[in-house]
Amino acid sequence: METLYIEPTEFTPKVIFDPENSTFDISGFSRPENVIGFYKPILKWMEDYNDIVLSNNTQFEKSILTVNIKMTYFNSASSKFLLDILLEFMKFLSKGNKVEINWYYEEGDDEILESGEEISDMLGYQFNFIPF
Amino acid sequence: MLKVSERNNILTHIGQLSYEEIGFLLNRMSAYIDKQGFNITVKKKIYAAMVESLENIYKHQDIIQTDPEHLPRFSLFIEDQIISLFASNSLRVEKISPLMQKLDKVNALDRHGLKDLYKFTILSGNVSPKGGAGLGIINIAKVSENKINYTFEKINDKFSYFTINVLISLNVK
């Protein structure tokens, strides 16, 4: 499966989902004018990736999936979609994959840290919180 | 009428908002905050309240083309260690009741209650065609840690002029 690569813009984050290395990075700023138009293709990619991993038993089967979220800001509509993306990753747990979620926040930025803690709480899954 | 007393104006915008204009206002605020040396959490709180307020105007403004008195308006002031944000737009009267209910609901909640409401809304709500997830006002209340003051001023039988005033303390740890 091809890597998903989305260049960052003034309003949208950088996205690199690399299935070969099982790393999934979202970083930067998220305030898309068309939030559905931006995030739906990412969710579609996740669904396809999920189908391939779960139905084809490929080499990804038992790999550790590393998700790196390194946001400087995201609006409330984006938070809904970040949650949806992370929910997709939760589906892999039941299939024996390990999922590691690294939530980066700028040192002293309690808002981004707290947002991560809330999403972690909603998922019922522990994140690694890493200042930078 | 919400009181706009003597205070230092950081920025003001009057007129219909574009998405780019929102970015321009955010950049101006960021430059001001950086210059003042406020801490990053304060900056992020102001930033979040601004984005959600401005995007609410952008998504929900019902412009009355023949009425230059009730254009969308956004202002940011600083006074006594408080950042005060005003955001106004005209809107159709049928939007008043659900909006008022939502504002009263968030104003009745404490920090813990707001977190629960945010969680409930994000897990159960869908995103509207305009891109709203129903989280904006809750988020404003969460970051400001103050009640959201609001008014609806009657323009005519069809339209009202809606204003919110959000206060954010600069004395955040």
Side-chain angles (χ1 to χ4, degrees):
Chain A
M1 190 174 180
E2 292 282 308
T3 294
L4 173 69
Y5 182 78
I6 302 174
E7 285 271 5
T9 71
E10 184 183 351
F11 302 128
T12 55
K14 181 178 178 178
V15 179
I16 307 175
F17 283 6
D18 178 356
E20 194 168 333
N21 294 305
S22 299
T23 58
F24 307 85
D25 302 348
I26 305 178
S27 61
F29 182 93
S30 185
R31 190 175 69 78
E33 181 168 13
N34 180 356
V35 69
I36 299 170
F38 180 77
Y39 280 102
K40 276 285 179 192
I42 300 173
L43 284 165
K44 176 71 173 63
W45 190 96
M46 280 302 302
E47 284 167 18
D48 292 345
Y49 176 64
N50 204 332
D51 286 345
I52 288 170
V53 173
L54 298 184
S55 60
N56 294 346
N57 263 347
T58 68
Q59 68 272 25
F60 307 122
E61 187 190 6
K62 302 293 181 191
S63 57
I64 297 173
L65 310 182
T66 304
V67 185
N68 297 303
I69 310 283
K70 193 175 185 178
M71 303 301 293
T72 52
Y73 174 75
F74 52 93
N75 64 2
S76 58
S78 299
S79 68
K80 164 75 182 151
F81 283 96
L82 284 174
L83 178 70
D84 287 348
I85 289 168
L86 292 172
L87 278 167
E88 284 295 317
F89 282 101
M90 294 295 100
K91 292 178 183 172
F92 292 91
L93 293 171
S94 61
K95 300 298 174 186
N97 291 86
K98 191 177 174 194
V99 177
E100 186 173 66
I101 301 177
N102 298 316
W103 185 275
Y104 293 86
Y105 63 99
E106 194 176 344
E107 185 88 52
D109 186 351
D110 294 344
E111 283 299 309
I112 288 286
L113 172 61
E114 195 174 304
S115 298
E117 288 170 345
E118 284 172 8
I119 293 175
S120 168
D121 181 49
M122 281 183 241
L123 293 172
Y125 195 72
Q126 184 64 46
F127 293 3
N128 301 315
F129 291 102
I130 305 167
F132 66 91
Chain B
M1 186 84 175
L2 295 169
K3 187 179 165 221
V4 182
S5 64
E6 329 67 42
R7 61 191 88 181
N8 294 319
N9 179 243
I10 300 170
L11 56 90
T12 293
H13 170 88
I14 300 169
Q16 195 163 355
L17 270 173
S18 67
Y19 221 70
E20 288 69 25
E21 187 76 40
I22 294 174
F24 177 66
L25 291 167
L26 289 166
N27 289 342
R28 280 181 57 198
M29 181 278 290
S30 291
Y32 173 83
I33 297 291
D34 290 343
K35 195 175 169 186
Q36 301 299 315
F38 298 146
N39 82 37
I40 188 166
T41 296
V42 167
K43 180 178 175 179
K44 291 297 181 78
K45 283 176 178 291
I46 300 167
Y47 202 97
M50 264 185 82
V51 169
E52 304 295 351
S53 304
L54 289 164
E55 289 187 353
N56 275 342
I57 293 177
Y58 177 73
K59 286 172 190 160
H60 303 297
Q61 54 191 350
D62 295 324
I63 303 292
I64 311 167
Q65 298 297 348
T66 54
D67 182 3
E69 296 296 310
H70 295 99
L71 291 169
R73 177 186 288 264
F74 179 88
S75 307
L76 206 59
F77 298 89
I78 181 167
E79 181 186 29
D80 295 339
Q81 298 300 301
I82 297 279
I83 293 284
S84 182
L85 175 162
F86 288 84
S88 309
N89 62 281
S90 49
L91 79 179
R92 294 185 175 278
V93 291
E94 56 267 28
K95 293 181 180 174
I96 293 175
S97 179
L99 189 51
M100 200 182 276
Q101 280 177 26
K102 190 160 208 173
L103 284 157
D104 289 344
K105 188 173 182 180
V106 300
N107 279 343
L109 295 172
D110 61 9
R111 186 173 164 77
H112 188 72
L114 285 169
K115 279 184 175 237
D116 284 347
L117 180 61
Y118 193 87
K119 185 176 172 180
F120 174 79
T121 307
I122 200 170
L123 289 172
S124 62
N126 291 313
V127 177
S128 75
K130 285 184 176 179
L135 297 165
I137 287 174
I138 307 169
N139 201 29
I140 290 170
K142 268 177 73 199
V143 298
S144 83
E145 298 182 46
N146 282 293
K147 303 300 174 199
I148 300 171
N149 302 307
Y150 69 87
T151 57
F152 292 95
E153 292 173 50
K154 184 177 178 180
I155 298 172
N156 56 39
D157 288 343
K158 289 183 178 170
F159 291 95
S160 191
Y161 196 59
F162 169 56
T163 298
I164 58 167
N165 174 222
V166 180
L167 304 172
I168 298 169
S169 171
L170 295 176
N171 297 318
V172 172
K173 282 178 196 169

